[in-house]
Amino acid sequence: MRTVRGWFRDTAGGLPRSFWYLWTGTLINRLGSFVLIFLAIYLTRERGFSAAQAGLVIGLWGVGGAVGTTVGGILTDRWGRRPTLLTAHLGAATMMVALGLARPLWAVAVGALLLGTFAEAARPAFGAMMVDVVPEKDRLRAFSLNYWAINLGFACAAVLAGFAAEAGYLLLFLVDAATTVVTALIIFTRVRETLTRPAAPVAKGAAAPAGALRTILRDRVFLGFVALNLFAALVFLQHISMLPIAMVDSGLSPATYGSVIALNGVLIVIGQLFVPRLIRGRSRSHVLALAALIMGVGFGLTAFADTIWLYGLTVLIWTLGEMLNSPSNATLIAELSPAALRGRYQGVFSLSWQLAGASAPILGGLLREQAGNTALWLACAGIGAVTAVAHLVSGPARERRAVQLRAAGVPAAPVTLARTPAPEAAEAAATAPAEPARTGS
């Protein structure tokens, strides 16, 4: 019992109260994340669109997400984390209902575009706020706990959505919108603004928000890391677009897809809390390379799946890679970015996911229609292998950059933009170490 209590304390103890409010909002939001899980099946079975048309709609979701993360990153640094999150969540809830009521292809496409814009605009603000409130020494634990909450909600949502779809697809959109509103209310009532600015003017030549684009475009190490994440995301996001279509073509029902994909969340819920201890002290480049290779193998084996248990096995394999990839990604981004540009760096990194979200379903759909199902999944395996090698080659440069930023960081006296600082934010600021020039994920 003492060992269990010690493990729980090491895993979840000592984190700021603001983090737990954000964690709760994440869990509630993901419990209702029905729509994207079943969007491909909804578009092809309920609306009668082709696989290419469904890929186009999901791709427009990704295009909207690319716009959303870019704008959201700018607003996060200029307007603030809290108002950006609130606006994004309320806008996403509204567009969720609109998409559920849309009927013509053009209306569905526009709805997906706008929904992606609002939904993903929250990502940079949320990531920046997480880094704001959690001290550096606790971030690996915090990111792992938040990822655990995402997948706990996802596992439950995947199963529940499969049965809800049988009752009517509109219910999926309404529940998703409702949980998004609840998340917005939690942020509005419990989380204070965390954006800080230097007390003194920024010195000439320093990295200031006005030169954000030039700073990022010159940061080849960071952009190289973003590019590798883009390739990994192109493979990973096939589980949303082409995997459900492949399973339906194998004669499996939407509820079966929900149960199989829920294995992803269940495995992460069971094992993710042990991952930080497993990878602590190990080379992040080696961990990321192994993660890319495992994900490639898992998706590649989908080429030979035609039964429930085979599809389930492939999901379990690529989930292991996802579990290794997520915390390593999060902590590395936290060390590669200047603190003054935290939101923008979050936005650019998130942009890789949105670009993949826009292109993965379109490319996957075209490749599947032109070359066949087997070629699609074997191509995923090839991309995973190439990405793994690239991580091994580029890893030393990333670590050198992280060391340089850590050594050059000069903490500035913060001035909180919120009228009344939250007690938990003050607690985090008091216990946090000196903040070097970096950002988080």
Side-chain angles (χ1 to χ4, degrees):
M1 182 63 70
R2 188 173 303 172
T3 302
V4 173
R5 283 199 301 266
W7 171 83
F8 183 80
R9 184 174 58 253
D10 292 342
T11 302
L15 293 170
R17 191 179 306 167
S18 290
F19 164 77
W20 290 112
Y21 289 135
L22 292 170
W23 184 91
T24 302
T26 295
L27 179 61
I28 293 173
N29 197 12
R30 293 293 175 162
L31 282 171
S33 58
F34 290 172
V35 170
L36 192 55
I37 299 174
F38 280 87
L39 186 58
I41 296 177
Y42 167 74
L43 293 172
T44 53
R45 290 191 56 171
E46 182 75 6
R47 305 299 310 137
F49 300 142
S50 67
Q53 289 174 322
L56 174 63
V57 171
I58 298 174
L60 286 173
W61 180 310
V63 171
V67 175
T69 52
T70 303
V71 175
I74 295 172
L75 293 178
T76 295
D77 287 336
R78 291 187 176 180
W79 191 19
R81 284 71 156 125
R82 188 169 177 261
T84 302
L85 279 170
L86 288 171
T87 303
H89 281 315
L90 293 177
T94 302
M95 294 312 305
M96 194 78 68
V97 176
L99 180 59
L101 297 175
R103 289 296 176 264
L105 177 59
W106 69 265
V108 172
V110 171
L113 177 69
L114 295 177
L115 177 56
T117 302
F118 281 108
E120 298 303 327
R123 189 185 294 267
F126 185 89
M129 185 173 279
M130 284 272 289
V131 178
D132 290 342
V133 303
V134 178
E136 179 187 2
K137 62 184 178 62
D138 294 325
R139 285 176 187 162
L140 180 60
R141 293 192 299 131
F143 286 128
S144 294
L145 284 167
N146 190 67
Y147 197 62
W148 184 83
I150 289 173
N151 285 277
L152 176 61
F154 175 79
C156 297
V159 175
L160 295 175
F163 295 104
E166 302 294 334
Y169 280 96
L170 181 59
L171 183 62
L172 302 181
F173 293 90
L174 295 178
V175 173
D176 205 334
T179 55
T180 303
V181 170
V182 171
T183 302
L185 291 176
I186 291 175
I187 295 170
F188 180 76
T189 58
R190 293 296 182 182
V191 182
R192 302 283 185 153
E193 180 58 70
T194 64
L195 176 62
T196 59
R197 295 192 188 281
V202 179
K204 184 177 180 180
L213 182 59
R214 291 193 302 273
T215 300
I216 295 174
L217 291 179
R218 288 197 300 263
D219 195 341
R220 295 182 180 179
V221 172
F222 174 75
L223 291 179
F225 182 61
V226 171
L228 291 182
N229 189 71
L230 170 62
F231 284 110
L234 284 172
V235 174
F236 178 72
L237 292 178
Q238 297 301 327
H239 82 280
I240 295 175
S241 54
M242 294 300 109
L243 180 59
I245 295 176
M247 291 185 66
V248 169
D249 286 350
S250 295
L252 303 175
S253 68
T256 301
Y257 166 71
S259 299
V260 169
I261 202 65
L263 292 173
N264 168 259
V266 170
L267 182 58
I268 292 175
V269 168
I270 294 173
Q272 188 67 46
L273 296 182
F274 299 96
V275 170
R277 180 170 296 183
L278 178 66
I279 66 177
R280 186 179 299 153
R282 300 184 184 275
S283 167
R284 283 181 292 203
S285 300
H286 292 173
V287 173
L288 289 170
L290 180 61
L293 186 61
I294 293 175
M295 281 198 289
V297 170
F299 280 98
L301 289 175
T302 308
F304 310 103
D306 57 359
T307 62
I308 297 175
W309 75 269
L310 280 175
Y311 278 114
L313 179 62
T314 65
V315 170
L316 291 177
I317 292 173
W318 57 255
T319 297
L320 293 175
E322 180 189 358
M323 292 168 64
L324 294 174
N325 183 78
S326 177
S328 300
N329 252 350
T331 56
L332 191 54
I333 289 297
E335 296 189 32
L336 288 179
S337 316
L341 305 178
R342 179 165 291 162
R344 288 171 171 82
Y345 267 74
Q346 288 285 340
V348 171
F349 182 73
S350 298
L351 187 61
S352 64
W353 283 102
Q354 307 318 317
L355 291 175
S359 55
I362 297 175
L363 294 176
L366 290 174
L367 182 58
R368 192 172 187 273
E369 288 189 357
Q370 298 299 321
N373 187 65
T374 300
L376 167 64
W377 302 114
L378 293 182
C380 289
I383 293 174
V386 171
T387 303
V389 173
H391 272 301
L392 294 176
V393 172
S394 61
R398 291 197 299 261
E399 296 301 332
R400 287 195 298 269
R401 171 61 59 82
V403 171
Q404 291 171 358
L405 290 176
R406 203 177 300 126
V410 180
V415 177
T416 305
L417 297 186
R419 293 183 180 180
T420 306
E424 58 270 21
E427 173 191 353
T431 58
E435 183 75 18
R438 65 181 180 278
T439 188
S441 170

